[in-house]
Amino acid sequence: MTDTAATPRTDDLPPRLTRLVFHGPLSEARAAALVRRLADTRPGSVLDIGCGWGELMLRVLEAVPDARGIGLDVNAEDLARGRRNSAVRGLAGRVEFVEESAVGTRRGPADLVLCLGATQALTKAEPPTAEALRELRRLVTDGGRVLLGEGFWERTPTEHELARMWPGASPDDHYDLATLLDLAVEAGFRPEWTETASPAEWEEFESAYQADTEVWLATHPDHPSAPETRDRLNRHRAQWLTYRGVLGLAYLTLVPVAA
């Protein structure tokens, strides 16, 4: 006999990430500026690594009517959201969302490569940054652009802070901003534009990341999934309030040096 009370219905669980437009600390104003700058290069092909639902890629395709895009990710739910969004916006014929790993991908080279918070999708190296930058150089055409969104340490975290971040957090997980730019140059790029997410962008992202589930938990305190959900939310909030002001995110627009 099935214990239905112990098996929560999927329609009774919180919605997932509906408050997020972008899966990262990216404001509408910054996104619009990035799209304008990237669209000015008139890319014919766009490759989005670790695309999620590919919102920025879709905006570039809207701004460049002749461009075609491919997004790679291993999260089927996010890819389905991207396909739905592309269909609603009349872009389904110009974009493909593919469920596959980007490690060693042969999908490039493309005129524009997006890699936003997803260098780990390109390599198994730890930390992934240096090898991922070399992969990005391989995947972009001469004269193209790479938009890299990558974490960096605003300052070296203390041992106490590291202990309250993600499991196994280490000072070696990220570089400082100057070293990150040096690595980009070593990989065969020149930095056209350097910008970093603001505290307001981080707070909007982290709040939106949990908002759906926080509201659900407040209205379902006795749900069978409530204890695990409460622990997960509390743990994540403690983590991001610890790395707040310590972990930054850089948006680097990179120009490949001609081979």
Side-chain angles (χ1 to χ4, degrees):
M1 181 175 178
T2 302
D3 183 2
T4 56
T7 307
R9 306 190 314 271
T10 56
D11 63 355
D12 196 26
L13 295 176
R16 181 176 179 271
L17 307 182
T18 67
R19 307 285 189 97
L20 287 179
V21 177
F22 305 101
H23 203 302
L26 180 61
S27 66
E28 286 288 346
R30 190 185 306 279
L34 287 168
V35 169
R36 284 195 301 271
R37 191 180 312 126
L38 296 171
D40 282 347
T41 68
R42 309 307 299 174
S45 54
V46 183
L47 176 63
D48 194 347
I49 302 295
C51 64
W53 52 86
E55 177 63 25
L56 199 70
M57 173 175 62
L58 295 180
R59 294 189 184 199
V60 171
L61 295 180
E62 287 175 322
V64 188
D66 295 331
R68 303 183 67 85
I70 296 177
L72 306 182
D73 206 294
V74 295
N75 187 304
E77 186 176 353
D78 286 348
L79 292 167
R81 178 175 172 178
R83 294 185 191 107
R84 291 192 300 270
N85 290 349
S86 67
V88 167
R89 290 147 82 166
L91 298 170
R94 293 199 285 129
V95 65
E96 184 179 4
F97 287 90
V98 183
E99 186 177 351
E100 67 181 34
S101 169
V103 175
T105 183
R106 311 310 300 179
R107 294 284 180 174
D111 299 328
L112 171 60
V113 182
L114 308 175
C115 184
L116 302 176
T119 51
Q120 72 281 355
L122 285 165
T123 174
K124 298 184 184 301
E126 292 290 347
T129 311
E131 185 171 326
L133 279 161
R134 290 190 289 271
E135 278 293 280
L136 290 168
R137 179 61 189 92
R138 178 179 70 83
L139 292 170
V140 66
T141 58
D142 286 349
R145 294 292 188 277
V146 167
L147 177 63
L148 174 67
E150 180 72 343
F152 69 96
W153 292 129
E154 298 269 9
R155 59 169 174 79
T156 303
T158 66
E159 289 299 322
H160 176 71
E161 288 168 336
L162 289 167
R164 291 174 56 84
M165 294 183 190
W166 51 89
S170 162
D172 297 331
D173 289 346
H174 298 286
Y175 301 97
D176 61 27
L177 183 57
T179 302
L180 177 58
L181 285 161
D182 287 345
L183 289 171
V185 170
E186 290 171 12
F189 294 102
R190 301 303 304 181
E192 179 181 12
W193 211 269
T194 300
E195 51 196 305
T196 62
S198 69
E201 286 174 305
W202 271 107
E203 289 172 358
E204 182 173 354
F205 165 62
E206 293 290 3
S207 295
Y209 184 83
Q210 303 218 132
D212 285 332
T213 312
E214 292 283 13
V215 172
W216 176 88
L217 184 60
T219 56
H220 295 77
D222 299 321
H223 191 279
S225 295
E228 181 278 331
T229 302
R230 187 179 298 109
D231 289 345
R232 175 165 50 84
L233 290 172
N234 291 345
R235 184 169 57 251
H236 182 79
R237 187 186 319 105
Q239 290 171 353
W240 86 261
L241 288 174
T242 299
Y243 60 68
R244 181 176 182 264
V246 182
L247 176 65
L249 190 83
Y251 292 105
L252 306 181
T253 303
L254 303 174
V255 185
V257 177

